[in-house]
Amino acid sequence: MSKFEYTSEFECSVVELFSYHERKAVVNRLIPPWDDVVVLREPQNLIDSDAEFLVTLAPLVCFRWISKHCDYVKNKQFKDIQITGPFRRWEHTHLFGSNKDGKSYLTDSIEFEPLFSSISSIFTEKLIREKLRKTFSYRHTITKNDIDFIKKQHTDKQFVIGIAGSSGVIGRELTSFLRLLGHTVYKIVRKTAKQRDEIFFNLEKEELTNIPEHLDIVINLAGEPISEGLWTDKKLQAIYDSRVVFTSKLIQAIKKLEKPLSHYINASAIGYYGDRRERLSEDGSKGDGFIADLCQKWEQVAKNDLFPTTILRIGVVLTPRGGALKQFLKFVNLNLGATLGDGNQYISWITMDDLIYGITHIIHNRLEGVFNMVSPSPVTQKEMVDTISNKLKKVRILNLNRKTVELIYGRLGKEVLLANNYVIPDRLNLSNYKFYFPYLTSALDHLLGSDG
């Protein structure tokens, strides 16, 4: 049997640290974004409940991992033991304790035995240990930040929240985090609701049906991906309909509810500002182009006088699970990271963590109006790809000039890939939101599990 241990100190009591691990949806929250893992069944408790995961290692290579919790001692420890999975044996003990200065600590202690032969296990064990180190470094960082964020909240009120676009990359993360905080979250879906946590949105009739209880808040994140595929006429229409038309009909459906919402939150994008060189805060004027016009119309149909409304102008969201970073990683891992144009166009980015913390901060503080959801430190496209390449110890060998980018990607290349967006989150800063990852280097260390 091999043994691995990882210990961290936390700025909270052992009671707070232990109770965090008992929260609903915490299992989803602690899965590193570079792992392709789907939670098929969440544990009901840490005492004697099972959890089931679908783990994908490569295309067509996946397996089910079932673990059982046991050996529960409140504020002291709990274990999860593999029932079925990739190891001959796996036993994970979570050990909690207090320090004299009021802080606490967590030790993740794992005993494991690979399925492989003794000869190959020497090499395999090294890989397993490195993966475990990255995984628990990520998990402990998330735990520290979540507990810190929770302690800073000035409300214990729990809301009933409906999310449109809950199946998207942002929607999935936000749903898990809001449930972890104790909010009741329903997924607003366009197909007949099949799960207890789904609300059917009949687009044609502009009606929300199968609503189990009164909704306090609706968050609309729905929208056809902008950067996937070329901008054909069909694609542009789908982008428009999934935002402007969908939002208009959703607002009409919300207006038909028996009780008005206490808060409505709608996604938009920093593409509202267009291709601009100057520093832009929320009072910046609309830019030119398809995306700018789209965002303006999108925001116009979202605004209403019946309930408080917040518009999220979201920047480039960094997560290995999707979006720009996932695309960067594909090319960088092949040593094909490229400078686009002169590479000096600014990218206003935000980590997935700060995005969901920021949205939750807006909810808990009932903040209205327009918010730029970006970090305070934009970087150039060249800085972005070079930093990713350095973190992964890869080289950047390609430089695609502006004409080449526009030839390959058309309007998408001109309006998105080559656009300059130097956008600042002034209103978030003024609301006393503290960014957990304000700088790209530390953000990528966290998201990629690198050593800095």
Side-chain angles (χ1 to χ4, degrees), residues 62-124:
C62 60
F63 58 85
R64 289 177 182 260
W65 186 326
I66 301 176
S67 62
K68 181 177 179 61
H69 287 98
C70 61
D71 292 357
Y72 175 95
V73 181
K74 183 75 171 179
N75 298 328
K76 296 288 186 181
Q77 71 168 44
F78 66 91
K79 291 184 180 181
D80 55 82
I81 299 175
Q82 176 191 285
I83 305 301
T84 61
F87 292 88
R88 183 174 284 116
R89 184 182 173 192
W90 171 280
E91 183 174 305
H92 178 189
T93 304
H94 311 248
L95 297 167
F96 300 80
S98 298
N99 296 330
K100 294 180 179 179
D101 55 3
K103 298 178 182 179
S104 58
Y105 65 84
L106 167 63
T107 296
D108 285 285
S109 179
I110 298 171
E111 294 184 355
F112 63 93
E113 185 178 355
L115 288 173
F116 311 100
S117 68
S118 58
I119 297 176
S120 61
S121 65
I122 298 174
F123 177 70
T124 303

Side-chain angles (χ1 to χ4, degrees), residues 20 23-25 28-29 142 145-147 149-150 171-183 185 353 356-358 360-361 364:
Y20 172 81
R23 288 175 176 264
K24 186 177 182 180
N28 274 294
R29 183 76 182 126
I142 286 290
N145 291 347
D146 280 4
I147 291 174
F149 179 82
I150 292 167
R172 291 196 301 270
E173 296 287 340
L174 183 61
T175 297
S176 290
F177 186 64
L178 291 175
R179 285 175 173 168
L180 181 143
L181 296 181
H183 301 298
V185 182
D353 297 270
I356 64 172
Y357 288 147
T360 308
H361 171 80
H364 288 174

Side-chain angles (χ1 to χ4, degrees), residues 225-232 235-236 239 290-291 340 405-406 408-419:
I226 285 178
S227 298
E228 295 180 10
L230 297 178
W231 279 9
T232 62
K235 175 72 173 182
L236 293 177
I239 291 172
F290 170 77
I291 295 296
L340 305 180
V405 174
E406 291 182 2
I408 296 173
Y409 295 101
R411 290 177 65 185
L412 169 62
K414 182 178 181 180
E415 288 201 32
V416 177
L417 302 180
L418 297 172

Side-chain angles (χ1 to χ4, degrees), residues 160-162 208 214-219 250-251 254-255 257-265 304 306-309 366:
V160 179
I161 303 172
L208 292 169
H214 166 64
L215 292 174
D216 298 307
I217 299 168
V218 169
I219 303 172
L250 179 61
I251 292 293
I254 293 172
K255 289 179 178 179
L257 297 177
E258 292 184 8
K259 296 181 180 179
L261 297 180
S262 62
H263 201 169
Y264 175 75
I265 299 174
N304 64 89
L306 296 180
F307 33 80
T309 299
R366 302 179 66 89

Side-chain angles (χ1 to χ4, degrees), residues 7 41 55 97 109-110 113 155 189 200 210 248 280 290 310 344 353 373 386 411 415 433:
T7 301
R41 185 172 71 252
V55 182
S109 179
I110 298 171
E113 185 178 355
T155 178
V189 299
F200 175 50
N210 190 44
S248 177
L280 294 160
F290 170 77
T310 303
N344 291 325
D353 297 270
M373 305 304 288
D386 281 350
R411 290 177 65 185
E415 288 201 32
Y433 175 75

Side-chain angles (χ1 to χ4, degrees), residues 145-416:
N145 291 347
D146 280 4
I147 291 174
D148 179 71
F149 179 82
I150 292 167
K151 290 174 70 174
K152 289 178 179 176
Q153 300 310 293
H154 302 296
T155 178
D156 292 326
K157 185 174 182 180
Q158 296 177 346
F159 298 105
V160 179
I161 303 172
I163 298 182
S166 60
S167 62
V169 177
I170 298 172
R172 291 196 301 270
E173 296 287 340
L174 183 61
T175 297
S176 290
F177 186 64
L178 291 175
R179 285 175 173 168
L180 181 143
L181 296 181
H183 301 298
T184 300
V185 182
Y186 291 98
K187 302 172 183 178
I188 298 175
V189 299
R190 291 184 55 185
K191 295 182 180 180
T192 303
K194 296 181 180 179
Q195 305 295 329
R196 287 183 296 177
D197 66 346
E198 292 181 343
I199 293 173
F200 175 50
F201 175 30
N202 189 320
L203 200 65
E204 293 182 359
K205 294 183 178 181
E206 299 179 349
E207 291 180 347
L208 292 169
T209 63
N210 190 44
I211 305 176
E213 53 189 315
H214 166 64
L215 292 174
D216 298 307
I217 299 168
V218 169
I219 303 172
N220 179 19
L221 302 171
E224 172 80 9
I226 285 178
S227 298
E228 295 180 10
L230 297 178
W231 279 9
T232 62
D233 289 344
K234 182 178 180 181
K235 175 72 173 182
L236 293 177
Q237 190 63 50
I239 291 172
Y240 181 90
D241 290 347
S242 65
R243 286 168 172 77
V244 179
V245 177
F246 180 93
T247 299
S248 177
K249 291 180 178 292
L250 179 61
I251 292 293
Q252 294 307 311
I254 293 172
K255 289 179 178 179
K256 295 178 182 178
L257 297 177
E258 292 184 8
K259 296 181 180 179
L261 297 180
S262 62
H263 201 169
Y264 175 75
I265 299 174
N266 203 94
S268 183
I270 59 171
Y272 173 91
Y273 303 109
D275 183 3
R276 310 270 281 279
R277 283 287 171 183
E278 66 265 35
R279 177 188 185 277
L280 294 160
S281 61
E282 286 84 356
D283 58 1
S285 61
K286 184 188 82 72
D288 298 321
F290 170 77
I291 295 296
D293 292 343
L294 171 73
C295 289
Q296 182 185 48
K297 293 175 183 176
W298 194 9
E299 294 179 13
Q300 285 174 344
V301 298
K303 294 175 182 177
N304 64 89
D305 298 324
L306 296 180
F307 33 80
T309 299
T310 303
I311 301 296
L312 310 173
R313 288 181 184 155
I314 302 173
V316 174
V317 182
L318 298 186
T319 171
R321 289 195 172 110
L325 183 56
K326 185 176 182 179
Q327 296 303 315
F328 275 128
L329 292 175
K330 283 182 182 179
F331 291 100
V332 169
N333 278 317
L334 296 172
N335 292 312
L336 295 176
T339 295
L340 305 180
D342 60 13
N344 291 325
Q345 65 272 29
Y346 274 92
I347 296 175
S348 294
W349 58 274
I350 187 170
T351 61
M352 180 66 76
D353 297 270
D354 272 316
L355 179 60
I356 64 172
Y357 288 147
I359 294 173
T360 308
H361 171 80
I362 287 169
I363 291 172
H364 288 174
N365 291 280
R366 302 179 66 89
L367 302 176
E368 301 176 44
V370 176
F371 284 82
N372 290 334
M373 305 304 288
V374 294
S375 82
S377 306
V379 297
T380 65
Q381 190 271 336
K382 183 178 181 298
E383 289 174 321
M384 174 73 75
V385 73
D386 281 350
T387 305
I388 296 172
S389 299
N390 291 336
K391 295 294 180 186
L392 298 178
K393 297 179 174 58
K394 302 291 183 178
V395 297
R396 177 180 58 80
I397 60 175
L398 292 181
N399 293 283
L400 303 180
N401 61 39
R402 174 173 288 270
K403 288 185 178 180
T404 303
V405 174
E406 291 182 2
L407 179 64
I408 296 173
Y409 295 101
R411 290 177 65 185
L412 169 62
K414 182 178 181 180
E415 288 201 32
V416 177

